[in-house]
Amino acid sequence: MSVYLPGERRFVVVNQITIVCLFLLILAGGVVRSTGSGMGCPDWPKCFGQYVPPTDKSQLPKGYEQQYIDNRAKKNERFAKTLDLFGFGKLANELRSDQSILQHEPFNAAKTWTEYINRLVGAITGVFLLLCLVFSTAFLKSKKRIFFFSLLNLIMVFFQAWLGSIVVSTNLLAWVITVHMLLALVILSISIYTYFQAKVLRDSSLLINRGGSWVKWLAVFILGLLILQVILGTTVREEIDFIATATLDRWKWIGQLSAYFNWHRDLAVGVFILSLILFFRVRTRYAQRSIQSKMANLLVVLLVLQLGAGFLLAYFGVPAYAQTVHLVLASLLFGTQFYLMLLLGKTSEYIGQ
């Protein structure tokens, strides 16, 4: 059993809570996306200029429509200049010429509060990430990487918050949302990694590799495929968003998708087969109650559920609830595979570092 110093234990507990909050934040973001609530608050970080958003149209500030459109236009121009500066001139020009970005969305109290709750979850998660940094100072002598990765994660969160404001100012521009999602997975990865490093500091037996070096590389390869799946999935979602503006008949959406959908579907089968190989290898080499076996079990369960969610999306008219479930399961799959990959390392690589 691991024996932590008081400061180290606080970090482990807070980091566990942070990881749960990150998954809840992804869930909240999925609900926002599937319900079309992304522009429920037309400004950021406040909502209609208030810390607590309105519940009725009569509570809205006068002339807010044009005011927020003008503010978004100014912010988008600054963002376009930033894109120019880093060599993304084509994206900058597309941003400047896209008039749909400045379209006003009518007030809807339900959408406003859905987006507001998403922001509250994000703020709470940010507080816990700050606490992770504070408590990570307990590892400055024993394992400095935990502190520095915690610091990096907090910096990433500030960048993610800024990117969230760009999502609002660009009126949910598809590629910005995609970057926003991928960055969320990076933040999740860093939190899992620092948690893992804190665990193995006091219990290096977790890293005894009984499966052979190729098993870890198989886990790495599967993780890479999962990342590719997320990218393909966000691309398919971008196409769905575009198709949805042209036809309200959800049953016709899948039939109008490009080859990206086929690649996404076929790759899911490949990931499932490779994950089964990994599962059987881990289960035959590790004890049934080992953390490696538990993670392998969870991985297969999540894969089956994810395939089921994909089936619902493909053959039952892309229901909104299935979109959210599909997104959350994808993040859980990613987190589980990432942690399993870390657990399939070698003790000798970590002792004394």
Side-chain angles (χ1 to χ4, degrees):
M1 188 174 179
S2 302
V3 180
Y4 295 102
L5 299 176
E8 296 173 350
R9 181 168 294 280
R10 282 194 292 268
F11 173 81
V12 170
V13 172
V14 170
N15 205 347
Q16 285 176 319
I17 297 172
T18 302
I19 292 169
V20 172
C21 286
L22 286 167
F23 283 121
L24 290 175
L25 183 58
I26 292 172
L27 169 61
V31 172
V32 166
R33 192 83 193 275
S34 63
T35 58
S37 303
M39 290 304 292
C41 296
D43 52 335
W44 192 96
K46 294 182 180 180
C47 189
F48 290 99
Q50 305 173 37
Y51 287 107
V52 179
T55 56
D56 188 82
K57 193 173 182 178
S58 62
Q59 300 172 329
L60 298 175
K62 276 189 175 181
Y64 76 93
E65 299 96 335
Q66 192 58 47
Q67 175 189 341
Y68 291 142
I69 287 174
D70 292 342
N71 288 340
R72 294 210 311 261
K74 292 177 183 177
K75 190 164 190 173
N76 289 343
E77 180 55 34
R78 291 196 297 270
F79 182 45
K81 289 180 179 178
T82 302
L83 291 174
D84 280 329
L85 183 64
F86 286 94
F88 297 102
K90 184 178 178 181
L91 287 177
N93 291 333
E94 289 176 359
L95 180 63
R96 292 187 178 102
S97 61
D98 190 349
Q99 293 303 310
S100 66
I101 288 175
L102 301 179
Q103 290 178 358
H104 167 66
E105 184 170 316
F107 173 74
N108 182 305
K111 291 184 177 181
T112 292
W113 276 86
T114 300
E115 168 60 14
Y116 181 67
I117 291 171
N118 176 46
R119 295 186 185 185
L120 282 180
V121 176
I124 293 170
T125 304
V127 170
F128 276 106
L129 281 163
L130 175 60
L131 289 174
C132 279
L133 175 62
V134 172
F135 294 136
S136 69
T137 55
F139 296 94
L140 278 173
K141 291 184 178 179
S142 55
K143 205 162 225 183
K144 292 183 177 65
R145 72 179 72 175
I146 294 176
F147 170 79
F148 288 113
F149 273 101
S150 297
L151 176 61
L152 173 63
N153 223 13
L154 190 64
I155 294 171
M156 297 289 282
V157 166
F158 280 114
F159 181 74
Q160 179 78 319
W162 170 79
L163 192 59
S165 72
I166 297 298
V167 169
V168 173
S169 71
T170 57
N171 199 6
L172 312 180
L173 195 61
W175 70 265
V176 180
I177 295 176
T178 297
V179 174
H180 196 54
M181 174 61 192
L182 293 175
L183 188 57
L185 293 182
V186 172
I187 293 170
L188 175 64
S189 298
I190 295 174
S191 289
I192 292 174
Y193 178 74
T194 53
Y195 171 78
F196 165 79
Q197 288 293 332
K199 293 288 287 184
V200 299
L201 176 66
R202 301 302 176 190
D203 187 6
S204 59
S205 65
L206 288 173
L207 287 174
I208 296 175
N209 191 339
R210 299 185 178 93
S213 61
W214 69 270
V215 176
K216 181 175 182 177
W217 287 112
L218 176 59
V220 172
F221 183 66
I222 293 173
L223 183 68
L225 291 181
L226 284 175
I227 294 172
L228 179 58
Q229 273 290 72
V230 170
I231 295 172
L232 288 173
T234 54
T235 302
V236 170
R237 181 56 203 253
E238 289 174 12
E239 292 185 356
I240 287 287
D241 289 343
F242 178 78
I243 293 169
T245 61
T247 175
L248 297 177
D249 188 351
R250 305 178 76 96
W251 293 90
K252 296 180 179 179
W253 291 357
I254 295 297
Q256 298 180 50
L257 291 171
S258 71
Y260 284 114
F261 170 74
N262 296 327
W263 298 342
H264 184 58
R265 179 193 59 199
D266 296 342
L267 187 56
V269 177
V271 169
F272 183 72
I273 293 172
L274 289 174
S275 296
L276 283 180
I277 296 173
L278 179 64
F279 167 79
F280 286 116
R281 183 63 179 179
V282 170
R283 286 305 305 270
T284 56
R285 301 296 293 179
Y286 290 88
Q288 185 177 351
R289 293 187 178 182
S290 69
I291 185 63
Q292 287 87 351
S293 289
K294 290 177 180 177
M295 288 296 105
N297 293 344
L298 179 58
L299 181 67
V300 172
V301 171
L302 290 172
L303 278 167
V304 171
L305 292 174
Q306 183 70 314
L307 289 174
F311 183 83
L312 285 174
L313 288 169
Y315 297 102
F316 288 87
V318 198
Y321 70 87
Q323 292 175 329
T324 301
V325 170
H326 200 58
L327 173 63
V328 174
L329 286 173
S331 65
L332 288 169
L333 263 172
F334 174 83
T336 302
Q337 180 65 33
F338 183 70
Y339 193 50
L340 178 58
M341 179 195 72
L342 294 174
L343 287 166
L344 295 175
K346 293 182 179 178
T347 306
S348 59
E349 295 176 358
Y350 292 87
I351 290 177
Q353 291 188 17

